[in-house]
Amino acid sequence: MAITPPSERIWWKEPIAKIELSWIIIAFTWGLIMFFMMIYWHGAGEQNLSNEAYKIKPERFAEHTQEMIDAYTVRNESGFPVVHPPAGDDIYLTGRLYNWWPILELEKDQTYRLHLSSTDVQHGFSLQPVNINVQVHPGYDLVFTIKPDRAGEYGIVCNEFCGIGHHLMVGKIYVVE
Amino acid sequence: MSNNTEFRTCPTTGLKVDLAAEKLIKVNAVAAVVFLAIGGLFGLLVALTRWPEVHLLPADFFYLALTAHGLDVLLVWIIFFEMAVLYFASAVLLGSRLAAPKFAWAGFVLMLVGAVITNIVVLQGKSSVMFTSYVPLKAEPGFYLGIILFAVGALIGCFVFFATLVVARQERTYQGSIPLVTFGAMTAAIIAVFTIASGAIILIPTLLWSLGYVANIDPILYKTIWWAMGHSSQQINVAAHVSIWYAIAAMTFGAKPLSEKVSRMAFLMYILFLQIASAHHMLVEPGFSSEWKIFNTSYAMYLAVLGSMVHGMTVPGSIEAAQRSRGLNKGMFEWLRKAPWGNPAFAGMFMSLVFFGFIGGISGVVMGTEQINLIMHNTLYVPGHFHGTVVAGTTLAFMAITYYLVPLIFRRELMFMKLAKLQPYVFGIGVAGISVFMMGAGTLGVSRRHWDMQFADAVLPFDYPSAAFLMMGLNGMSAVLAAVGGIMFVVVVVGSVFFGRKLEKDEKPSYPEVPPQSAAVAQHGSAESLKIPGTTMLVAIFFIAFVLYYFVNWKYLSEIWPLS
Ligand code: HEM
Ligand SMILES: [Cu+2]
Ligand SMILES: [Cu+2]
């Protein structure tokens, strides 16, 4: 029994049943398939994080964001600047207690280099309803290229607990034709 | 020491029990159940708040309750119970005296003091930082101090366990190799040492930072080391509850492992492929390369997963073999149909096995895939997944073995047998519900750790799809069911331990029955005559579900915005 010492003293010489061995082989092969699937997707798939990231002082990141806002604001909405940067540009989104700053307006099927960072604690960038979720850290500038492929209005929820106003932290991205 | 150790002989199992070890098992188990009750209550409050139609607590108290829930159940309940498991698997199963019971008591007191300190600090309201306490969110120093004391106490418990293994070997209390269950507990204890070391490396500086002696802690560094503790501690839970599966299979059916070698190798996998730095928690964080992520999630993780998949076959397989050898040979599933479903220890154990595999296991591997994590990270999918592992898996298994501990270690007749028979089903189905519905809500994007999914007070409006609200309603109802199951458990156990009829010396309790002799089973579980078609079928169904669900999620991923 499993609660008593093995009845055969030399248990490591017992034969392994065929069925057990087959399952080990199948399960191991499946592990390999899952391993190669991730690598395969880096070549064939369109959804991969580039893992480009830089250390940055929070104030510096806020300045970058502000420069973009100063250059490309097209209107205001509920106190948020709505920024329409040129296609292909570097764009900045700051997570801070408790909003995503500013509102971005992007063009459909264009690519942008999105920079994400926080100026205080960690936040969670959760773009809805597409459901893209990325962790946002203070002091790190995470960069990846996005290509919005459907026009519409998107919400950005904060999905990392960041304080008592966590549930108030909603941002917005517009994708226009 | 050894000459003033007192033993008794268990009339049901014939095991020789050191009374000092028995007492320590009792106090650790009682402390565990107390914190399960407290933490479970917080869980119910949290779930009722997340049920949009109920929305019970105000925001500040919700975040407080969520912090307390995570700490009390994940840390305190589980680790206290694991201490009881370690003492049981060493002293009792080996028929040995417990090494250094005084140290074990010191460890227990430290754990208790630590748990109480952290609870008080959390209840004071200035430390609602969640149990992960990601910097730069800052809790009061007492929050970290309590956790550190608790961890030191647990570390002492691990060393008492190792020392007991040594004592038993030196005093030749058993023949040959240690039992499989003890071996499994040993892997848990080895991983625990690594875990607690990681915890110390990160929590001590964080305590100093909270006190003002350290200026700054890098959030990525914190998270990487924190999860070296947080993830490997889950591997402790798995090793512990798998050991309990084997123990219950043995104590209920006299089941023998199909092959000692395979089962022990599978446990060893947990140590060897303990996922390095717990990369699957860092898949969408800045600062790591894809090579690092893929290597650490798959090379390291899939081999640990392989270990679990092996246990997933060998545990039911050993039960099937034992049942068949006793003549339950008709068709594929007579052995399972005629299993003792009215025995709460078996019912809980078997549901733990099935839910852990189908709900917790599959979702964990899928979510831990580098790219797929993008569509799940920090959504409710995550708590959905781990209520499948740590509640439907670990907690249910711990509850199941408690039904054997009460008569055999506490020496009390189990009370409210009717309630006890139902309990695993009520709790199990409730927990399966919360797991599945939180996963559903997460697939629809709903954030975890979030007070208001309607965003009523946010400046910019946003609406989740209505299906998400339905999921959270169903989640709330399942939570009530799970809570009822939890209360049933506490009533049965606390009632029996304090008011159950005391068993006379050498009296056999009416429950559990004496396990059938292992001699009824062939020499080793997998002797050629024993075929296990039922288990093979179960494993095939599991595998197909796994493969389909895995690829469905790649399909979901392929539908989001292209990003690189
Ligand atoms: C009556 C039983 C339980 C219910 C109804 C319940 C319900 C919940 C709910 C609704 C959440 C919140 C999800 C969120 O908003 O992010 C949660 C979080 C959590 N639960 Fe449970 N739970 C129960 C038992 C347990 C047990 C027994 C454990 C551990 C063994 C556990 C571990 C956790 C952990 C670690 C979290 C995460 C806390 C955090 O995000 O900081 N739960 N639970
Ligand atoms: Cu936030
Ligand atoms: Cu937040």
Side-chain angles (χ1 to χ4, degrees), chain A residues 35 42 51 135 137 140 145, chain B residues 285 290 293 298 370 377 564:
Chain A
F35 171 69
H42 273 279
N51 299 311
Q135 190 80 12
H137 285 261
Y140 288 86
T145 305
Chain B
E285 317 276 323
S290 286
K293 292 175 188 170
S298 60
E370 191 204 1
H377 177 76
S564 56

Side-chain angles (χ1 to χ4, degrees), chain A residues 98 122-124 158-163 165-167 169:
Chain A
Y98 293 103
Q122 293 184 38
H123 299 283
C158 176
N159 73 4
E160 182 56 81
F161 173 73
C162 53
H166 168 54
H167 47 275
M169 186 163 164

Side-chain angles (χ1 to χ4, degrees), chain B residues 93-129:
Chain B
L93 288 188
L94 297 179
S96 163
R97 68 183 171 88
L98 190 76
K102 289 218 175 80
F103 278 91
W105 276 102
F108 171 75
V109 170
L110 271 179
M111 286 171 69
L112 194 61
V113 170
V116 169
I117 291 180
T118 300
N119 265 281
I120 290 174
V121 172
V122 168
L123 288 175
Q124 283 168 343
K126 286 196 204 140
S127 301
S128 300
V129 293

Side-chain angles (χ1 to χ4, degrees), chain B residues 163-186:
Chain B
T164 306
L165 295 188
V166 174
V167 165
R169 165 134 302 230
Q170 277 173 353
E171 297 179 359
R172 295 177 185 279
T173 63
Y174 63 96
Q175 305 276 311
S177 308
I178 57 176
L180 179 61
V181 171
T182 309
F183 187 85
M186 186 179 77

Side-chain angles (χ1 to χ4, degrees), chain B residues 58-121:
Chain B
D60 52 350
F61 201 63
F62 169 79
Y63 293 123
L64 184 159
L66 187 52
T67 306
H69 174 58
L71 283 166
D72 280 340
V73 277
L74 190 67
L75 214 67
V76 186
W77 141 249
I78 290 208
I79 297 183
F80 265 127
F81 201 90
E82 278 163 356
M83 290 301 131
V85 171
L86 287 185
Y87 299 146
F88 176 80
S90 55
V92 178
L93 288 188
L94 297 179
S96 163
R97 68 183 171 88
L98 190 76
K102 289 218 175 80
F103 278 91
W105 276 102
F108 171 75
V109 170
L110 271 179
M111 286 171 69
L112 194 61
V113 170
V116 169
I117 291 180
T118 300
N119 265 281
I120 290 174
V121 172

